[in-house]
Amino acid sequence: MAFFKLTDEQLMIQSMVREFSRKVVAATAAERDKTKEFPIDNLKQMGELGLMGMMIPVEYGGEGADTISYVLALSEIAYSCAATAVVMSVHNSIVCESIIKFGTEQQKKKYLPQLADAKIIGAFALTEPHAGSDPVDQNTSAVKQGDHYVINGTKRFITSGKNGGLVIVTAKTDEEKKHKGISAFLVEKDTPGLIVGNIEDKMGLRASDTTDLIFENCRIPAENMLGNEGDGFKIAMTGLDGGRIGIAAQSIGVAQASLDAAIKYAKGREQFGQKISKFQGLRWYIAEMATEIEAARQLMFSAAAMKDRKEKYTTQASMAKLFASEMVNRITGRCLQIHGGYGFTKDYPIERFYRDARVFTIYEGTSEIQKVVISNNIFKDKRK
Ligand code: CAA
């Protein structure tokens, strides 16, 4: 459902991904949550289906799809496995999109086909141990030496830090210039001096690795700079605009999976001599949750459509991310409640959905940061 009609092509992509996701991705999601095994086999198959380079132009090996098709596909993957979805999201929304938008012809030719095929997985390294919500305060430095830059510093909470093959890294090239002194680099994973540090033991999204990346005199050819010197903060913020629509899509996928699981449970569970789905209190919960998911979906479509029309969509992306990520946390909690004691066990997937959703209000900008972005754009000037 949408305030505009989805095209036949968008509906076809949604239905193809739904079938793949519920058959293939869902089959191993619970096991991966236990073992933390990275879903590389899912991702390879997704590469074959065109899901790892969805918005990459056809001439660089991608599908040339629009953002609406992409968020429909991402929601379907998140429905079955949120850990696979976050890898798909960072890869497509931030890494591929940043190269498409800011890369040189040479960078596009070199990296986009490999990303589209999932031969390499993309990672994005902005956050540092002491610079999360305020990435301008980062310490990682890149010093020019001849035709190379030498990068030193530590990045934290990097999705696919271990399993990624290409990392977009931000680093300070000029300490004095604050955000205008930050640059972005494309760093190949096997570059000497790039070390995978601590791997986080997380509450959710356990099959997606989240790591420190340590740069120790890591020498990068100057041609691997993305954009111009000083463009790094703008590149990161532009990438996060698209990324935040992706987090809305993940939230909607997990919320829909939770609601469907709660409905199934309620239709099977009897108490006081009748199915609990007959109780009006429960039915009202279901109605409220379905309405909230639909509202989030419309915000996501609105931001995605604006992006496709090449309008400025920063505010709408943050609104979609804020609303959808808060919504899925309310919904997973309520759906777990509907499952009663069983919801608190690993016998039902709602327990995993509840844990997976928790980070959605945190990563790619906390809910509080989304409110900063939205209000700054409303007031136009953050000081007034
Ligand atoms: N697009 C393009 N440019 C933008 C922009 C956007 N959306 N937002 C800001 N900018 C530009 C501004 O135009 C300005 O440039 P000029 O000086 O040239 O005009 C510059 O950036 C600085 O803007 P602000 O003064 O508004 O920046 P700020 O320092 O006040 O910070 C902020 C703004 C919104 C708080 C920002 O720091 C922010 O988004 N913080 C959160 C960071 C974040 O989301 N981190 C998540 C980590 S990544 C992750 O989680 C990925 C993962 O692996 C899952």
Side-chain angles (χ1 to χ4, degrees):
M1 254 187 298
F3 64 89
F4 54 89
K5 199 169 168 350
L6 294 173
T7 64
D8 287 347
E9 195 183 345
Q10 288 161 346
L11 288 168
M12 196 261 294
I13 290 171
Q14 183 187 39
S15 132
M16 181 270 288
V17 183
R18 181 171 294 173
E19 196 186 328
F20 166 76
S21 175
R22 296 193 191 181
K23 201 192 292 172
V24 178
V25 178
T28 56
E31 186 60 21
R32 284 181 203 284
D33 176 59
K34 279 193 206 121
T35 60
K36 298 201 262 177
E37 190 188 331
F38 188 70
I40 192 66
D41 38 357
N42 286 343
L43 296 163
K44 293 278 179 211
Q45 288 187 68
M46 286 160 62
E48 282 164 24
L49 290 172
L51 303 180
M52 297 303 277
M54 279 194 81
M55 292 172 292
I56 294 177
V58 177
E59 66 258 41
Y60 301 110
E63 296 304 304
D66 59 7
T67 312
I68 301 266
S69 303
Y70 166 64
V71 293
L72 288 169
L74 184 55
S75 284
E76 290 300 331
I77 298 295
Y79 185 97
S80 301
C81 177
T84 304
V86 68
V87 178
M88 174 182 173
S89 180
V90 172
H91 176 101
N92 276 278
S93 317
I94 304 190
V95 177
C96 295
E97 285 283 277
S98 298
I99 298 173
I100 295 165
K101 191 150 190 185
F102 297 100
T104 61
E105 193 53 31
Q106 196 194 0
Q107 290 167 347
K108 289 182 196 176
K109 281 196 176 128
K110 184 168 181 193
Y111 294 116
L112 291 177
Q114 300 184 66
L115 288 160
D117 282 355
K119 284 204 180 80
I120 49 172
I121 302 296
F124 170 61
L126 173 72
T127 300
E128 298 189 1
H130 302 289
S133 291
D134 183 11
V136 176
D137 197 33
Q138 61 187 265
N139 290 324
T140 298
S141 64
V143 177
K144 190 141 193 225
Q145 285 184 2
D147 54 1
H148 280 72
Y149 281 89
V150 180
I151 304 183
N152 278 288
T154 298
K155 296 291 178 178
R156 178 146 295 170
F157 299 140
I158 307 309
T159 300
S160 308
K162 175 166 171 264
N163 290 290
L166 182 70
V167 191
I168 295 183
V169 182
T170 59
K172 282 198 163 155
T173 40
D174 188 335
E175 187 64 43
E176 303 296 306
K177 289 190 181 159
K178 304 212 163 137
H179 71 272
K180 290 201 164 107
I182 294 173
S183 302
F185 299 89
L186 291 162
V187 183
E188 294 177 17
K189 195 49 175 307
D190 52 7
T191 309
L194 169 51
I195 301 151
V196 177
N198 180 47
I199 301 176
E200 303 294 345
D201 189 8
K202 306 189 305 267
M203 165 181 181
L205 304 182
R206 289 171 62 76
S208 137
D209 58 291
T210 305
T211 80
D212 278 5
L213 285 179
I214 301 156
F215 294 83
E216 275 181 12
N217 294 321
C218 183
R219 280 169 62 81
I220 308 299
E223 67 197 30
N224 275 32
M225 177 176 276
L226 189 58
N228 298 315
E229 207 170 272
D231 281 351
F233 190 71
K234 185 175 76 186
I235 292 172
M237 289 300 117
T238 308
L240 282 167
D241 281 348
R244 287 166 183 166
I245 310 181
I247 307 303
Q250 290 167 49
S251 302
I252 290 158
V254 174
Q256 190 66 55
S258 303
L259 182 62
D260 290 353
I263 292 168
K264 185 175 168 209
Y265 181 84
K267 281 173 153 179
R269 175 77 170 166
E270 271 187 29
Q271 291 290 283
F272 303 102
Q274 63 174 352
K275 303 285 187 212
I276 62 169
S277 59
K278 300 270 182 213
F279 289 108
Q280 189 179 47
L282 188 137
R283 295 174 84 97
W284 284 19
Y285 281 161
I286 300 291
E288 284 165 6
M289 290 191 286
T291 306
E292 283 207 66
I293 295 174
E294 186 56 22
R297 198 175 277 131
Q298 297 302 334
L299 279 172
M300 173 186 76
F301 281 145
S302 163
M306 287 177 80
K307 177 170 179 286
D308 284 335
R309 291 196 301 264
K310 308 218 178 313
E311 295 167 12
K312 188 158 168 48
Y313 65 95
T314 300
T315 306
Q316 284 71 18
S318 283
M319 286 176 170
K321 200 261 182 195
L322 171 65
F323 185 81
S325 63
E326 294 286 340
M327 171 280 291
V328 69
N329 275 279
R330 285 191 293 275
I331 282 184
T332 49
R334 179 139 283 168
C335 290
L336 195 150
Q337 187 74 15
I338 289 173
H339 282 74
Y342 293 108
F344 197 58
T345 72
K346 291 196 186 290
D347 295 343
Y348 288 83
I350 188 64
E351 173 271 343
R352 169 166 54 91
F353 301 156
Y354 181 85
R355 287 184 287 105
D356 284 345
R358 187 60 193 87
V359 76
F360 295 169
T361 60
I362 298 171
Y363 66 19
E364 300 207 13
T366 61
S367 289
E368 294 71 22
I369 285 295
Q370 305 315 318
K371 292 179 202 177
V372 169
V373 173
I374 296 164
S375 58
N376 281 353
N377 280 295
I378 289 170
F379 284 105
K380 301 288 183 223
D381 184 332
K382 61 187 170 184
R383 291 168 292 278
K384 286 182 188 155

